[in-house]
Amino acid sequence: MGTIVFFYFASVIVVTAALVVALRSPVFSALALLVMFFHVAGLFVTLHAEFLAVIQILVYAGAILVLYLFVVMLLNLKGEVRFHHQLTVGLFLGCMVFAEAVLLVIKGEFSLGMNLPDTREQAQLTQGNTESIGELLYSTYLFPFEIASLILLVAMVGAVILTKKGILEAKS
Amino acid sequence: MDVPVSYYLVLSGIMFSIGLVGVLIRRNIIIILLSIELMLNATNINFVAFSSYLGNLSGQVFVFFALTVAAAEVAVGLAIIIALYRHSASTNIDDFRLLKW
């Protein structure tokens, strides 16, 4: 049962990811990415990461993708030449990277996959996923958490400054 | 939960490769940013799969941080795209060779 669910999510994710790269119109690419985000969230649910699944939908599908669509519609892009002239080189490099990843996974299975400690059963938590992540976030990872808020502040200021008029305009 | 962890790793490898190819072969800057999001999501799947299989929640906390960085990256990246579009009315990557010799 779990295998069927995994293969459903995996196949939809791969197809929509390919569509993101292959489609001509940026709007359709963004919509394909939306479908992919929802299926990645479903994959998170099957891995018992419910908090991250909700955050994935809220932040990626709710905030980031809306921002993308907003910019695409603001710029009103016309149809254009899709691919770079380095198409073959890019495809070759992608296949190489994928082959390397598969090779590493196979080697890892050989060396440690058989005695990977299966702690899933004893990790059955008495409290929910969200509570555990919150406790970890506010104790062990408190300092990185504060840094994350600083990153968001810097990004906000940067976005406001960059889109102000008179920063990157052509000299007349 | 009878799916071996290597399936998740191969799936994330496929996603990462597609994102990499997208960055290399597309001409539209917006699609290039979307492909970067794709690669970030591939690493997130890796983190969550290992966190679930090792029974350690730290991986999920790291996904949380990756999400924060992705949000910041999108905000700044789209601001740069808008500034570039104002500058030369184009989102074609070939039009921006200011830093090349």
Side-chain angles (χ1 to χ4, degrees):
Chain A
M1 183 60 204
T3 318
I4 298 170
V5 172
F6 171 79
F7 275 111
Y8 164 68
F9 282 126
S11 52
V12 174
I13 285 172
V14 170
V15 168
T16 48
L19 281 182
V20 169
V21 174
L23 282 176
R24 190 179 291 274
S25 160
V27 180
F28 289 143
S29 284
L31 291 179
L33 202 69
L34 177 71
V35 176
M36 200 202 78
F37 283 153
F38 273 105
H39 283 81
V40 171
L43 212 58
F44 285 175
V45 171
T46 64
L47 285 167
H48 296 287
E50 292 88 1
F51 174 68
L52 279 181
V54 174
I55 289 291
Q56 170 96 7
I57 290 177
L58 278 182
V59 174
Y60 267 117
I64 292 181
L65 218 73
V66 169
L67 208 59
Y68 269 114
L69 284 174
F70 187 74
V71 169
V72 168
M73 304 209 175
L74 193 71
L75 297 187
N76 190 20
L77 302 167
K78 302 281 183 296
E80 55 199 309
V81 191
R82 229 184 322 184
F83 297 127
H84 219 266
H85 47 82
Q86 57 197 24
L87 174 67
T88 45
V89 181
L91 282 177
F92 176 69
L93 282 178
C95 292
M96 287 291 285
V97 168
F98 176 61
E100 274 177 26
V102 168
L103 221 82
L104 283 177
V105 167
I106 291 171
K107 267 187 80 173
E109 281 246 301
F110 254 168
S111 56
L112 69 92
M114 299 308 151
N115 43 26
L116 193 69
D118 197 357
T119 44
R120 270 176 283 148
E121 304 308 318
Q122 74 202 42
Q124 279 304 326
L125 303 160
T126 48
Q127 52 187 1
N129 180 251
T130 312
E131 284 97 326
S132 327
I133 288 187
E135 264 179 22
L136 207 60
L137 205 57
Y138 284 108
S139 57
T140 317
Y141 294 100
L142 184 60
F143 185 62
F145 186 62
E146 297 296 331
I147 298 286
S149 67
L150 198 68
I151 287 177
L152 286 179
L153 177 71
V154 169
M156 193 174 75
V157 174
V160 170
I161 296 284
L162 276 172
T163 46
K164 256 176 72 169
K165 281 221 184 284
I167 296 287
L168 258 177
E169 248 113 274
K171 299 266 187 334
S172 54
Chain B
M1 282 298 288
D2 45 354
V3 186
V5 70
S6 51
Y7 285 18
Y8 289 97
L9 300 189
V10 170
L11 170 67
S12 115
I14 293 174
M15 271 174 76
F16 192 89
S17 313
I18 292 176
L20 184 78
V21 169
V23 169
L24 285 177
I25 70 172
R26 288 301 298 250
R27 285 184 152 157
N28 197 330
I29 307 181
I30 293 177
I31 308 284
I32 290 177
L33 264 185
L34 286 178
S35 304
I36 293 174
E37 293 299 316
L38 235 158
M39 291 198 274
L40 281 171
N41 252 282
T43 56
N44 284 355
I45 287 180
N46 246 345
F47 269 128
V48 175
F50 272 118
S51 140
S52 165
Y53 275 82
L54 298 175
N56 188 346
L57 278 178
S58 295
Q60 301 190 14
V61 176
F62 270 91
V63 173
F64 183 81
F65 291 137
L67 239 125
T68 316
V69 173
E73 173 242 328
V74 165
V76 174
L78 287 176
I80 290 175
I81 287 179
I82 288 183
L84 283 175
Y85 190 77
R86 270 206 205 125
H87 176 76
S88 60
S90 155
T91 55
N92 191 337
I93 200 78
D94 291 334
D95 291 345
F96 305 112
R97 41 184 64 185
L98 225 63
L99 295 179
K100 271 193 192 169
W101 64 84

